[in-house]
């Protein structure tokens, strides 16, 4: 199976930390070798989620069932020193799962997460007894990356796991701030009874994909191989993501999506959308699938897909209007097949107003 097992050699390009683990270990469910956090932080206490709240999500393995809490200190920071050094793009992912570890059945825990000296997000991990994670694609101007938990007076901060991946020459980049993931959808993707989430061993960026469907759409799929290594696929989407897609229901010529972004008061964020396509149906000679994209008022295209050839369209950086990210994919007036969409990702562009101290000071 291409699902579940994540190749262990991925760790040569990054770090996977099981916060709260007593020692390093290879995880049999994911194939990842997790490190304990003793070499990355010296404060806090190791804890375990309550037995009745233990999770068995294969894509996460065992790391969500341990955590490190920080009952003391205003700010506690993990120190990450990737071998690739400064002036590089990194993917940072932090996991949080309360799991009633303190037997208090709390629902109001809230604390802040920082990357370096800059605010990243506010974490509220106990409100629904659900796990959650946050992703930050971060261009580091220093050799050391700090991920910090800040006590805001609303409960003890904690963290279950922390991943760092080297993004190399990835097209996921912005020199004007961090990219914070809002949505990553695998349209028509595989769903199980317990989870709509997938993680694939051929995904060089170790992304977590949510199987989803757009409104008024139907799913299509193929078992045919798709070349994910070609130069026309710099986003390196897993083949399983590209093998499924949504298209409009019969008689419709458009796919649409609408999402509300969270952002602080008096701040209007900018965002990026990545639209991922691959033609997975053989189209008869003379037919074509031609479409345009409209994203918050900006128009792109027209585009025509080639059979089994990946295509990604990156939108321009756009300000959110009324908190809404909206897009539609519409067939052109020329006769042909309806539009499709295999996957998409929405990122919020997050400013980094504060600069770290010069390392030579």
């Amino acid at each position: 199976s291409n699902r579940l097992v994540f190749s262990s050699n991925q760790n040569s390009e990054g770090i996977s930390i099981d916060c709260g683990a007593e020692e390093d270990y290879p995880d049999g469910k994911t194939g990842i070798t997790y490190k304990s956090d003793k070499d990355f932080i010296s404060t806090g206490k190791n804890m375990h989620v309550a037995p009745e709240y233990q999770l068995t999500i294969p894509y996460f393995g065992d790391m969500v069932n341990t955590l490190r809490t920080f009952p003391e200190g205003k700010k506690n920071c993990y120190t990450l020193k990737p071998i690739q050094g400064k002036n590089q793009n990194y993917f940072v992912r932090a996991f949080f799962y309360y799991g009633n570890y303190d037997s208090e059945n709390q629902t109001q825990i809230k604390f802040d997460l920082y990357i370096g000296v800059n605010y990243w997000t506010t974490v509220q991990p106990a409100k629904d007894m659900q796990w959650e994670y946050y992703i930050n694609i971060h261009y580091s101007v220093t050799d050391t990356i700090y991920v910090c938990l800040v006590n805001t007076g609303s409960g003890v901060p904690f963290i279950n796991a922390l991943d760092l991946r080297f993004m190399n020459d990835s097209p996921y980049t912005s020199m004007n701030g961090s990219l914070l993931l809002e949505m990553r959808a695998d349209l028509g993707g595989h769903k199980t009874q317990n989870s709509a989430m997938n993680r694939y061993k051929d995904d060089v960026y170790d992304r977590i994909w949510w199987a989803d469907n757009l409104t008024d759409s139907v799913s299509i799929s193929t078992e045919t191989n798709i070349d994910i290594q070609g130069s026309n696929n710099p986003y390196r989407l897993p083949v399983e993501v590209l093998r499924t897609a949504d298209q409009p229901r019969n008689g419709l010529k458009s796919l649409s999506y609408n999402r509300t972004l969270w952002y602080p008061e008096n701040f209007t964020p900018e965002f990026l959308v990545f639209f991922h396509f691959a033609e997975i149906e053989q189209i008869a000679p003379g037919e074509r699938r031609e479409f345009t994209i409209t994203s918050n008022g900006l128009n792109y295209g027209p585009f025509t897909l080639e059979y089994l050839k990946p295509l990604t369209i990156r939108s321009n950086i756009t300000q959110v209007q009324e908190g809404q990210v909206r897009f539609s994919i519409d067939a052109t007036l020329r006769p042909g097949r309806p539009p499709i969409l295999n996957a998409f990702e929405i990122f919020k562009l997050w400013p980094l107003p504060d600069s770290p101290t010069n390392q030579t000071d």
Side-chain angles (χ1 to χ4, degrees), residues 237-253:
L237 264 67
V239 65
E240 294 293 334
V241 172
L242 293 174
R243 280 177 171 165
T244 63
D246 276 359
Q247 70 178 19
R249 291 190 182 278
N250 290 340
L252 301 179
K253 297 292 185 180

Side-chain angles (χ1 to χ4, degrees), residues 103 182 227 315 337:
S103 302
E182 287 288 325
D227 179 17
S315 75
R337 296 285 187 94

Side-chain angles (χ1 to χ4, degrees), residues 277-297:
F277 304 92
E279 179 58 77
I280 57 176
E281 292 186 326
Q282 288 188 313
I283 296 179
E287 278 195 306
R288 61 195 299 143
R289 194 189 302 274
E290 188 178 77
F291 57 87
T292 60
I293 301 171
T294 302
S295 179
N296 275 51

Side-chain angles (χ1 to χ4, degrees), residues 100-129:
N100 200 26
Y101 76 88
D102 56 2
S103 302
E104 297 289 340
N105 291 303
Q106 299 191 62
T107 59
Q108 303 299 318
I109 298 174
K110 183 167 66 174
F111 52 89
D112 287 345
L113 188 64
Y114 274 64
I115 189 159
V117 295
N118 287 288
Y119 172 81
W120 174 351
T121 192
T122 295
V123 182
Q124 301 183 63
K127 57 184 182 296
D128 298 316
M129 284 292 184

Side-chain angles (χ1 to χ4, degrees), residues 209-227:
W209 296 88
W210 286 91
D212 204 355
N213 293 99
L214 299 177
T215 303
D216 293 325
S217 70
V218 294
S219 299
I220 59 174
S221 63
T222 184
E223 293 299 320
T224 307
N225 193 39
I226 298 173
D227 179 17

Side-chain angles (χ1 to χ4, degrees), residues 216-323:
D216 293 325
S217 70
V218 294
S219 299
I220 59 174
S221 63
T222 184
E223 293 299 320
T224 307
N225 193 39
I226 298 173
D227 179 17
I228 63 172
Q229 305 297 330
S231 59
N232 60 342
N233 183 28
Y235 293 86
R236 306 288 294 277
L237 264 67
V239 65
E240 294 293 334
V241 172
L242 293 174
R243 280 177 171 165
T244 63
D246 276 359
Q247 70 178 19
R249 291 190 182 278
N250 290 340
L252 301 179
K253 297 292 185 180
S254 177
L255 294 166
S256 62
Y257 181 81
N258 190 331
R259 182 180 179 89
T260 301
L261 296 187
W262 174 88
Y263 52 92
E265 285 188 47
N266 303 317
F267 174 72
T268 303
E270 297 175 313
F271 71 97
L272 284 168
V273 183
F274 297 86
F275 302 94
H276 303 294
F277 304 92
E279 179 58 77
I280 57 176
E281 292 186 326
Q282 288 188 313
I283 296 179
E287 278 195 306
R288 61 195 299 143
R289 194 189 302 274
E290 188 178 77
F291 57 87
T292 60
I293 301 171
T294 302
S295 179
N296 275 51
L298 297 181
N299 300 313
Y300 306 88
F303 303 102
T304 302
L305 302 181
E306 296 182 57
Y307 185 53
L308 302 180
K309 296 292 180 65
L311 171 68
T312 293
I313 305 300
R314 170 177 165 154
S315 75
N316 293 329
I317 295 173
T318 310
Q319 282 197 338
V320 172
Q321 303 298 322
E322 300 176 354

